[in-house]
Amino acid sequence: MSDFHQAYHVCGIIGTISVFMINAVSNGQIRGESYTNGCLGQRGARIWLFIGFLLGFASLITACWILFGGYIIPRKNPQWPGVGVFLQNAFIFFSGLVFKFGRTENL
């Protein structure tokens, strides 16, 4: 496929890593209600969560850049690879948010 660079897969990989990072930290650790402090305690959990959200937003922004910079503005045909990369990263990011904030935890 000459219209799709293989480097475009990287933003999906980064988005998947961000989902794992976001959901690796429980809400109790963020609030400081966990039983153990761990290596860095509550501050380390918040930093880990922040880096996870940072990677998630970065992958979503990168997918927008791939869509518009690689397919829409140069008017390449077909444009579906750019739309596919964007939708993949949007669904990864929003599923991570739903899984993190859409559930309850029993501590």
Side-chain angles (χ1 to χ4, degrees):
M1 291 179 59
S2 63
D3 59 342
F4 188 77
H5 296 289
Q6 296 301 318
Y8 290 167
H9 291 292
V10 173
C11 64
I13 294 168
I14 298 295
T16 304
I17 291 171
S18 76
V19 168
F20 289 132
M21 288 179 70
I22 289 170
N23 290 303
V25 179
S26 69
N27 291 333
Q29 290 172 330
I30 300 298
R31 290 189 300 263
E33 299 171 352
S34 63
Y35 294 113
T36 61
N37 288 333
C39 182
L40 295 173
Q42 181 183 9
R43 182 171 293 145
R46 288 181 177 175
I47 290 170
W48 185 263
L49 184 69
F50 177 73
I51 292 172
F53 278 122
L54 189 70
L55 288 175
F57 282 118
S59 69
L60 196 59
I61 291 169
T62 305
C64 287
W65 175 76
I66 289 170
L67 172 62
F68 288 104
Y71 291 97
I72 300 293
I73 293 174
R75 296 179 188 237
K76 279 188 177 178
N77 280 329
Q79 294 181 349
W80 63 266
V83 174
V85 168
F86 175 74
L87 287 177
Q88 172 193 3
N89 284 286
F91 289 148
I92 289 172
F93 181 71
F94 292 127
S95 67
L97 289 180
V98 166
F99 190 68
K100 176 68 178 170
F101 299 113
R103 62 187 168 125
T104 58
E105 296 179 353
N106 296 325
L107 295 176

